[in-house]
Amino acid sequence: MDNVNTREDQMTVIGPRSRLGAIDLRELWRYRELLYFLTWRDVKIRYKQTVIGIAWAVLQPVVTTAIFTLLFSNFARFETGSTPYPVFALSALVIWLFVHNAITLASGSFVSNSNLVTKVYFPRLIVPLAATLSGIFDLIFSVIILIGLILYYGIEPTSGILLAPVFLILAFVMAAALGTLLSALNVKFRDVKFALPFVLQVWMIASPIFYPASMVSGRWRLAFAINPLTGLIDGFRSSLFGLPFDWELIGISVLSVAVMCVISLIIFSKMEDDFADVI
């Protein structure tokens, strides 16, 4: 009798989901070991068979910051106040490089894991989440370099720095939402992998990465904030350099992130049942 009860307790019932069924947190928690395994696997294979290995995680922010400093500090001469331009640029690149890499990895995650998706049942949301989480590995290196540069220029932190992790978490949420959406679309529409590099280039130019958000003023400034990166980067800089927070700008960007999450989960939950048949 005890054996029968044990088997019933371990029974997995697969049924129709509600519209937002993709955010079954209890089910995600039960599969946390798979999430950990896929995340760690993505980290290990990313730099496998490369000559310099994880040094790429250091070179990418350092070289990009050096190029931005050479071009935009000496020629364009953007006004960054008392903040040295290399720190100014790297503070935004920390977020941008994470978002760029996470979305790129997550968008192709189902295609690269097609054998797993077609043979085993598990919460499909784990696949793009694992790809996004693996990007945190590079983010840690970028943050360490940023801290070193802040110390080098003698920038004294204020109490605002306590909010810096909040903007990094929001960047993760945004990257996970977009990565989840694009991973689902890429299963059915392989155009995503061709369009994504172009869209990311345009997004980088439209975001205050190598120029300050204050360059856009008036009514266009609020429209500028619909781009979620605008408020996140501006808020992250304010927290690091002790500058006043533009809460209106940040609030609109956070709202954009929330809308993006809802839309992504709705589309993902509608498409996930067909992944195994279409991929």
Side-chain angles (χ1 to χ4, degrees), residues 78-79 211-217 221:
F78 290 123
E79 179 56 48
Y211 56 87
S214 58
M215 282 188 63
V216 181
S217 58
R221 183 172 174 79

PDB file of all heavy atoms in Angstrom, residues 78-79 211-217 221:
ATOM      1  N   PHE A  78      31.624  64.259 -26.299  1.00  0.00           N
ATOM      2  CA  PHE A  78      30.360  64.311 -25.563  1.00  0.00           C
ATOM      3  C   PHE A  78      30.613  64.829 -24.150  1.00  0.00           C
ATOM      4  O   PHE A  78      31.615  64.506 -23.516  1.00  0.00           O
ATOM      5  CB  PHE A  78      29.728  62.910 -25.493  1.00  0.00           C
ATOM      6  CG  PHE A  78      29.221  62.423 -26.823  1.00  0.00           C
ATOM      7  CD1 PHE A  78      29.680  61.237 -27.366  1.00  0.00           C
ATOM      8  CD2 PHE A  78      28.264  63.149 -27.523  1.00  0.00           C
ATOM      9  CE1 PHE A  78      29.209  60.771 -28.591  1.00  0.00           C
ATOM     10  CE2 PHE A  78      27.793  62.706 -28.741  1.00  0.00           C
ATOM     11  CZ  PHE A  78      28.271  61.526 -29.276  1.00  0.00           C
ATOM     12  N   GLU A  79      29.679  65.637 -23.663  1.00  0.00           N
ATOM     13  CA  GLU A  79      29.796  66.224 -22.332  1.00  0.00           C
ATOM     14  C   GLU A  79      29.366  65.208 -21.270  1.00  0.00           C
ATOM     15  O   GLU A  79      28.202  64.792 -21.220  1.00  0.00           O
ATOM     16  CB  GLU A  79      28.905  67.475 -22.237  1.00  0.00           C
ATOM     17  CG  GLU A  79      28.944  68.156 -20.876  1.00  0.00           C
ATOM     18  CD  GLU A  79      30.357  68.537 -20.453  1.00  0.00           C
ATOM     19  OE1 GLU A  79      31.086  69.133 -21.282  1.00  0.00           O
ATOM     20  OE2 GLU A  79      30.719  68.222 -19.297  1.00  0.00           O
ATOM     21  N   TYR A 211      26.849  58.106 -25.361  1.00  0.00           N
ATOM     22  CA  TYR A 211      26.484  59.521 -25.165  1.00  0.00           C
ATOM     23  C   TYR A 211      25.544  59.606 -23.964  1.00  0.00           C
ATOM     24  O   TYR A 211      24.884  58.624 -23.612  1.00  0.00           O
ATOM     25  CB  TYR A 211      25.817  60.095 -26.423  1.00  0.00           C
ATOM     26  CG  TYR A 211      24.593  59.335 -26.885  1.00  0.00           C
ATOM     27  CD1 TYR A 211      23.333  59.632 -26.383  1.00  0.00           C
ATOM     28  CD2 TYR A 211      24.689  58.308 -27.822  1.00  0.00           C
ATOM     29  CE1 TYR A 211      22.205  58.939 -26.805  1.00  0.00           C
ATOM     30  CE2 TYR A 211      23.583  57.600 -28.244  1.00  0.00           C
ATOM     31  CZ  TYR A 211      22.348  57.930 -27.741  1.00  0.00           C
ATOM     32  OH  TYR A 211      21.241  57.231 -28.151  1.00  0.00           O
ATOM     33  N   PRO A 212      25.434  60.766 -23.315  1.00  0.00           N
ATOM     34  CA  PRO A 212      24.565  60.876 -22.133  1.00  0.00           C
ATOM     35  C   PRO A 212      23.093  60.993 -22.521  1.00  0.00           C
ATOM     36  O   PRO A 212      22.762  61.536 -23.585  1.00  0.00           O
ATOM     37  CB  PRO A 212      25.064  62.158 -21.462  1.00  0.00           C
ATOM     38  CG  PRO A 212      25.665  62.958 -22.564  1.00  0.00           C
ATOM     39  CD  PRO A 212      26.240  61.984 -23.544  1.00  0.00           C
ATOM     40  N   ALA A 213      22.221  60.481 -21.652  1.00  0.00           N
ATOM     41  CA  ALA A 213      20.783  60.562 -21.913  1.00  0.00           C
ATOM     42  C   ALA A 213      20.301  62.005 -21.922  1.00  0.00           C
ATOM     43  O   ALA A 213      19.269  62.324 -22.518  1.00  0.00           O
ATOM     44  CB  ALA A 213      20.025  59.761 -20.856  1.00  0.00           C
ATOM     45  N   SER A 214      21.056  62.896 -21.275  1.00  0.00           N
ATOM     46  CA  SER A 214      20.658  64.314 -21.214  1.00  0.00           C
ATOM     47  C   SER A 214      20.755  65.012 -22.566  1.00  0.00           C
ATOM     48  O   SER A 214      20.278  66.146 -22.713  1.00  0.00           O
ATOM     49  CB  SER A 214      21.542  65.047 -20.200  1.00  0.00           C
ATOM     50  OG  SER A 214      22.915  64.923 -20.567  1.00  0.00           O
ATOM     51  N   MET A 215      21.367  64.364 -23.566  1.00  0.00           N
ATOM     52  CA  MET A 215      21.436  64.968 -24.900  1.00  0.00           C
ATOM     53  C   MET A 215      20.056  65.122 -25.520  1.00  0.00           C
ATOM     54  O   MET A 215      19.826  65.988 -26.353  1.00  0.00           O
ATOM     55  CB  MET A 215      22.308  64.103 -25.834  1.00  0.00           C
ATOM     56  CG  MET A 215      23.792  64.269 -25.630  1.00  0.00           C
ATOM     57  SD  MET A 215      24.713  63.398 -26.904  1.00  0.00           S
ATOM     58  CE  MET A 215      24.191  64.289 -28.375  1.00  0.00           C
ATOM     59  N   VAL A 216      19.134  64.260 -25.098  1.00  0.00           N
ATOM     60  CA  VAL A 216      17.759  64.332 -25.605  1.00  0.00           C
ATOM     61  C   VAL A 216      16.927  65.078 -24.575  1.00  0.00           C
ATOM     62  O   VAL A 216      16.889  64.697 -23.408  1.00  0.00           O
ATOM     63  CB  VAL A 216      17.182  62.922 -25.833  1.00  0.00           C
ATOM     64  CG1 VAL A 216      15.755  63.003 -26.373  1.00  0.00           C
ATOM     65  CG2 VAL A 216      18.079  62.136 -26.784  1.00  0.00           C
ATOM     66  N   SER A 217      16.275  66.137 -24.984  1.00  0.00           N
ATOM     67  CA  SER A 217      15.525  66.969 -24.039  1.00  0.00           C
ATOM     68  C   SER A 217      14.087  67.145 -24.514  1.00  0.00           C
ATOM     69  O   SER A 217      13.707  66.726 -25.608  1.00  0.00           O
ATOM     70  CB  SER A 217      16.203  68.339 -23.893  1.00  0.00           C
ATOM     71  OG  SER A 217      16.294  68.961 -25.156  1.00  0.00           O
ATOM     72  N   ARG A 221      12.439  63.399 -24.806  1.00  0.00           N
ATOM     73  CA  ARG A 221      13.139  62.692 -23.728  1.00  0.00           C
ATOM     74  C   ARG A 221      12.258  61.579 -23.143  1.00  0.00           C
ATOM     75  O   ARG A 221      12.738  60.482 -22.860  1.00  0.00           O
ATOM     76  CB  ARG A 221      13.523  63.692 -22.640  1.00  0.00           C
ATOM     77  CG  ARG A 221      14.323  63.086 -21.501  1.00  0.00           C
ATOM     78  CD  ARG A 221      14.828  64.183 -20.585  1.00  0.00           C
ATOM     79  NE  ARG A 221      15.481  63.648 -19.406  1.00  0.00           N
ATOM     80  CZ  ARG A 221      16.722  63.180 -19.385  1.00  0.00           C
ATOM     81  NH1 ARG A 221      17.424  63.188 -20.498  1.00  0.00           N
ATOM     82  NH2 ARG A 221      17.240  62.713 -18.281  1.00  0.00           N
TER      83      ARG A 221
END
